[in-house]
Amino acid sequence: MSSIVSIKNLEKTYITDSEKLTVLKDLNLEVEEGKKIVIVGESGSGKSTLLNILGGIDNVTKGSVIAGKWNLSQLKEAELSDYRSTYLGLIFQFHYLLKDFTALENVYMPAYIAGIPKKEAKERAQQLLNDVGIIDRKDHLPSQLSGGERQRVATARALINDPTLILADEPTGNLDPANASMIGDLLFSMVEKYKKTLFMVTHDLHLAAKGDICYKIKDAQLEEVDMKKQGEN
């Protein structure tokens, strides 16, 4: 299997007037196509920082991150926009749906903006909403949807441009336990159905156990975690 992300000797340091804080150091990781990678760790350990670097939202201090044809440390803003819209699907703890647009419009909008004809974008969006089990709510505004329903819409939206890599930052962190379990199962089933690679950050160890490989960020580096042993403890 080929790597779709290659991280080499990555370091991320934040410098303020009062301190210098290195949250990631000498970090190396190869993400193989089709794998479901999960990152766990304490708050402030660098999980979201790593995901933000992969998302082109944050920059590296040292090292390199290659995702597909993109060297993320060398991209200009227009190239970053192209990378995000074509290579990535993003799911966050908060859904970030546009409040004045229906579920269907929220899903097809990224495809339409990317140049897909509106009719085709809408058809693709309807298929995805059907796949995530919310097609009957397609004409509802986000304010008319439950938290779990909003995350279903957000999951469909992440897939609309047929991305290679899905980045999920605490995708169930804002949900009650029942909805969190349901959305977690849905996310993994959709990644499997559409043959996507998943890179997810989560505090939820039950969700983390669904991944192929789980890492913990400890002392600014990645340490593989055996989730089966975690479950026995």
Side-chain angles (χ1 to χ4, degrees), residues 123-177:
E123 287 173 354
R124 191 183 296 180
Q126 289 192 96
Q127 178 61 55
L128 286 166
L129 286 173
N130 187 59
D131 287 345
V132 299
I134 200 172
I135 189 64
D136 60 325
R137 309 282 280 169
K138 68 183 176 70
D139 295 321
H140 288 65
L141 297 171
S143 61
Q144 299 169 313
L145 302 174
S146 68
E149 288 172 336
R150 291 172 193 157
Q151 281 301 72
R152 287 174 183 269
V153 176
T155 300
R157 180 182 59 186
L159 290 159
I160 190 67
N161 281 341
D162 194 24
T164 298
L165 177 64
I166 301 290
L167 298 181
D169 190 2
E170 298 283 4
T172 63
N174 204 35
L175 301 173
D176 62 79

Side-chain angles (χ1 to χ4, degrees), residues 4 31-37 86-89 128 158-167 187-199 212:
I4 65 161
V31 179
E32 292 183 349
E33 185 176 6
K35 290 293 186 182
K36 295 175 278 292
I37 308 295
T86 61
Y87 201 73
L88 299 182
L128 286 166
L159 290 159
I160 190 67
N161 281 341
D162 194 24
T164 298
L165 177 64
I166 301 290
L167 298 181
L187 174 57
F188 276 94
S189 69
M190 291 295 284
V191 166
E192 196 74 36
K193 176 182 175 72
Y194 283 95
K195 296 179 171 54
K196 302 302 176 188
T197 304
L198 175 67
F199 190 97
D212 296 319

